[in-house]
Structure formats: structure tokens, C-alpha cells
């Protein structure tokens, strides 16, 4: 959820996690802070943003030293992509994501789960471990991992279980899960009642996550919401 308005941030791309405090702030609150004159500062802790890769890494490492799971996960991302002046190191990325997952980061659990299920990142294909990661994150309310569990059951041919997982994630506002139930309806593996329940729940979840500031941010920037990073 957003550290300022406390509304759920449906997906990572709908907010920004700031390296100074590693707090997630939705684009609506970032825009509101900008309108109040809080330009080029973190909307949550008011710290100035890093000016270069070195400053960014110093901020991240400070939070890593404090055992902040999101900072550890972010550092893993930097190694995975070879960003911020770091040499690309998939092994180190996996270690950091695994550490963050153990500390409770659902984002890290999702990344490690994908590694094990797909086997393309770290080269280790172990679906049982991947499913365990998805289950751990889904219990904590991670919508992506809940959807992934639906995909796992779908792959196994357990259509009833797949629908149940997709129904939960659809009710959390994930339209991809709603589409999955619609596809299963056409295939004869879901009922009209289940689709109607998913549709109503998805619409309610999306409505609950709306705010005037978020609506304004979307209207102003649309698909370019990341431009709000320039404000903070």
C-alpha cells in the first residue's frame, strides 16, 4: 500500500519506491506532493533524490544494512540488470532476492518463484520451490503470486483449483485473472456465476483503489506515469 494515503497500490508500476526510505508512494500522492511544492524530494521522508549511481547505491546500502527486505530486493534488481554501475551478476541477484524473500518481501518471493518455475534466470528449474514461494507470497496478499498459482493449477489440468485462485486475484483487481476466468468459461471449466462474481469483485477492487489524486495523475500522464519520477 502507499505509505502516504494507505490505499493499495495495485501493481508496482502504479507507484514508486524511493531509495532513501524504501517506502512505496503511489503516483497520485507523488503528484499531490508536487502540486504542494515538494519538488525533487521524497514525498514520504522529504530526502533529496540521489544525483548519480553512487548516491543511489549509498542510499540502498544504508537500508540493506538495516535489513530492509525491499532494499535487499532492489539491490538484487540492480545486479540482475547491471544497473547503477554494478556489473551484471545473476548469481548475486539470486542470493539477494532469496535473502529478501526470507525476510518477507513478497516482491522477492515472486522473483525467486519465477526463477525456479521458469529456470531461465538462474538456471535452476525447481517448480516445487517456485510454487512454495508463490504460496508464501499469496498468503501475504500478493496478487501476482496468487495469479501464478492459478496458472500452475491450470497447467496441471486442475481447473476448479485454478478458477478458485483466479477468482481471488480477480477480486483484488487483477484484470488478467478476470480474463483467465472468462477463457475458462468459454472452455466450459468455469460457470457464469463464477465469472459474474469475479467481474463484480474486480470492479469493486479497482474502485476502492481509486482516489482523486490517482485519477488526476492517470489523466495527466496516462501510460507515462513513470514521468512522475521527475517530480520527486
Amino acid at each position: 500500500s502507499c505509505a502516504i494515503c494507505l490505499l493499495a497500490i495495485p501493481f508496482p508500476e502504479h507507484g514508486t519506491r524511493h531509495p532513501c526510505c524504501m517506502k512505496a508512494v503511489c503516483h497520485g500522492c507523488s503528484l499531490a506532493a508536487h502540486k504542494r511544492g515538494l519538488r525533487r524530494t521524497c514525498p514520504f521522508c522529504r530526502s533529496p533524490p540521489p544525483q548519480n549511481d553512487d548516491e543511489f547505491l549509498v542510499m540502498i546500502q544504508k537500508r540493506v544494512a538495516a535489513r530492509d527486505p525491499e532494499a535487499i530486493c532492489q539491490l538484487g534488481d540492480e545486479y540482475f540488470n547491471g544497473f547503477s554501475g554494478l556489473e551484471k551478476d545473476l548469481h548475486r541477484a539470486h542470493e539477494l532476492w532469496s535473502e529478501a524473500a526470507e525476510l518477507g518481501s513478497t516482491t522477492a518471493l515472486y522473483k525467486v518463484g519465477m526463477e525456479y518455475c521458469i529456470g531461465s534466470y538462474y538456471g535452476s528449474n525447481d517448480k516445487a520451490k517456485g510454487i512454495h514461494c508463490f504460496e508464501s507470497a499469496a498468503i501475504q496478499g500478493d496478487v501476482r503470486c496468487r495469479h501464478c498459482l492459478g496458472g500452475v493449477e491450470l497447467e496441471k489440468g486442475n481447473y476448479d483449483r485454478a478458477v478458485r485462485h483466479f477468482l481471488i486475484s480477480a477480486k483484488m483487481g487483477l484484470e488478467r485473472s478476470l480474463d483467465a476466468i472468462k477463457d475458462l468459461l468459454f472452455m466450459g471449466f468455469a460457470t457464469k456465476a463464477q465469472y459474474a462474481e469475479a467481474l463484480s469483485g474486480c470492479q469493486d477492487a479497482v474502485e476502492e483503489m481509486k482516489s482523486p489524486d490517482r485519477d488526476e495523475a492517470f489523466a495527466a500522464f496516462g501510460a507515462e506515469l513513470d514521468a512522475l519520477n521527475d517530480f520527486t
Side-chain angles (χ1 to χ4, degrees):
S1 62
C2 175
I4 296 177
C5 68
L6 303 182
L7 290 175
I9 298 177
F11 310 106
E13 61 269 22
H14 291 185
T16 301
R17 192 174 292 278
H18 296 267
C20 44
C21 57
M22 292 310 297
K23 298 297 184 183
V25 178
C26 72
H27 290 311
C29 287
S30 292
L31 178 60
H34 171 72
K35 290 165 62 179
R36 293 196 302 270
L38 297 175
R39 297 180 175 87
R40 304 301 299 170
T41 62
C42 171
F44 184 80
C45 72
R46 304 295 191 263
S47 296
Q51 298 302 308
N52 51 51
D53 289 343
D54 288 341
E55 290 186 10
F56 175 82
L57 287 176
V58 167
M59 287 183 174
I60 292 292
Q61 290 286 8
K62 183 178 180 180
R63 295 305 309 157
V64 168
R67 304 288 287 165
D68 184 326
E70 300 307 330
I72 296 171
C73 182
Q74 180 65 52
L75 186 57
D77 290 351
E78 303 307 307
Y79 276 107
F80 178 77
N81 292 297
F83 287 167
S84 303
L86 295 174
E87 184 177 348
K88 188 169 184 175
D89 188 334
L90 302 188
H91 181 76
R92 182 59 177 148
H94 175 80
E95 289 180 337
L96 289 163
W97 286 343
S98 296
E99 182 181 353
E102 290 178 1
L103 291 172
S105 168
T106 57
T107 299
L109 283 165
Y110 171 75
K111 292 176 184 290
V112 175
M114 291 299 292
E115 280 188 317
Y116 281 125
C117 283
I118 297 176
S120 59
Y121 295 166
Y122 184 56
S124 176
N125 192 311
D126 190 332
K127 285 195 175 182
K129 287 184 178 179
I131 292 170
H132 177 71
C133 289
F134 293 152
E135 289 173 340
S136 297
I139 289 172
Q140 297 181 59
D142 189 272
V143 64
R144 296 168 299 176
C145 288
R146 179 64 68 179
H147 180 85
C148 286
L149 289 174
V152 168
E153 296 299 339
L154 188 62
E155 189 177 86
K156 293 178 179 178
N158 298 331
Y159 301 112
D160 288 343
R161 292 178 63 87
V163 170
R164 288 199 291 270
H165 283 300
F166 290 143
L167 187 55
I168 292 172
S169 47
K171 288 183 176 181
M172 296 171 71
L174 187 61
E175 293 186 7
R176 190 163 71 245
S177 295
L178 178 64
D179 291 339
I181 294 176
K182 185 177 182 179
D183 290 341
L184 287 167
L185 172 63
F186 289 148
M187 295 166 60
F189 296 118
T191 66
K192 290 183 179 180
Q194 286 172 322
Y195 178 71
E197 182 181 354
L199 177 61
S200 176
C202 187
Q203 291 173 337
D204 289 344
V206 170
E207 192 64 31
E208 288 173 3
M209 289 185 285
K210 285 184 177 180
S211 73
D213 288 329
R214 289 184 178 186
D215 290 344
E216 183 178 352
F218 184 81
F221 296 96
E224 302 299 325
L225 283 173
D226 281 342
L228 282 171
N229 292 336
D230 295 336
F231 291 165
T232 57

